[in-house]
Short mmCIF file of all heavy atoms in Angstrom, two decimals:
data_model
loop_
_atom_site.label_atom_id
_atom_site.label_comp_id
_atom_site.label_asym_id
_atom_site.label_seq_id
_atom_site.Cartn_x
_atom_site.Cartn_y
_atom_site.Cartn_z
N LYS A 418 25.74 -10.22 -14.37
CA LYS A 418 25.28 -11.56 -14.71
C LYS A 418 23.78 -11.64 -14.26
O LYS A 418 22.92 -12.13 -14.95
CB LYS A 418 25.99 -12.62 -14.04
CG LYS A 418 27.54 -12.55 -14.29
CD LYS A 418 28.38 -13.54 -13.56
CE LYS A 418 28.36 -13.38 -12.01
NZ LYS A 418 29.13 -12.29 -11.50
N THR A 419 23.43 -11.32 -13.03
CA THR A 419 22.06 -11.29 -12.58
C THR A 419 21.25 -10.53 -13.44
O THR A 419 20.07 -10.84 -13.68
CB THR A 419 21.96 -11.00 -11.16
OG1 THR A 419 22.90 -11.86 -10.35
CG2 THR A 419 20.59 -11.18 -10.57
N ASP A 540 20.93 -20.05 -10.91
CA ASP A 540 21.99 -19.38 -10.16
C ASP A 540 22.63 -20.29 -9.16
O ASP A 540 22.02 -20.64 -8.25
CB ASP A 540 21.45 -18.16 -9.58
CG ASP A 540 22.51 -17.20 -9.18
OD1 ASP A 540 23.71 -17.48 -9.25
OD2 ASP A 540 22.20 -16.11 -8.68
N ILE A 570 24.31 -19.06 -14.10
CA ILE A 570 25.37 -18.25 -13.53
C ILE A 570 26.22 -19.31 -12.69
O ILE A 570 25.90 -19.85 -11.68
CB ILE A 570 24.76 -17.22 -12.52
CG1 ILE A 570 23.89 -16.23 -13.41
CG2 ILE A 570 25.89 -16.40 -11.88
CD1 ILE A 570 23.15 -15.15 -12.46
MG1 MG B 995 24.25 -11.88 -9.10
#
Side-chain angles (χ1 to χ4, degrees):
K418 305 177 296 289
T419 303
D540 193 353
I570 298 175

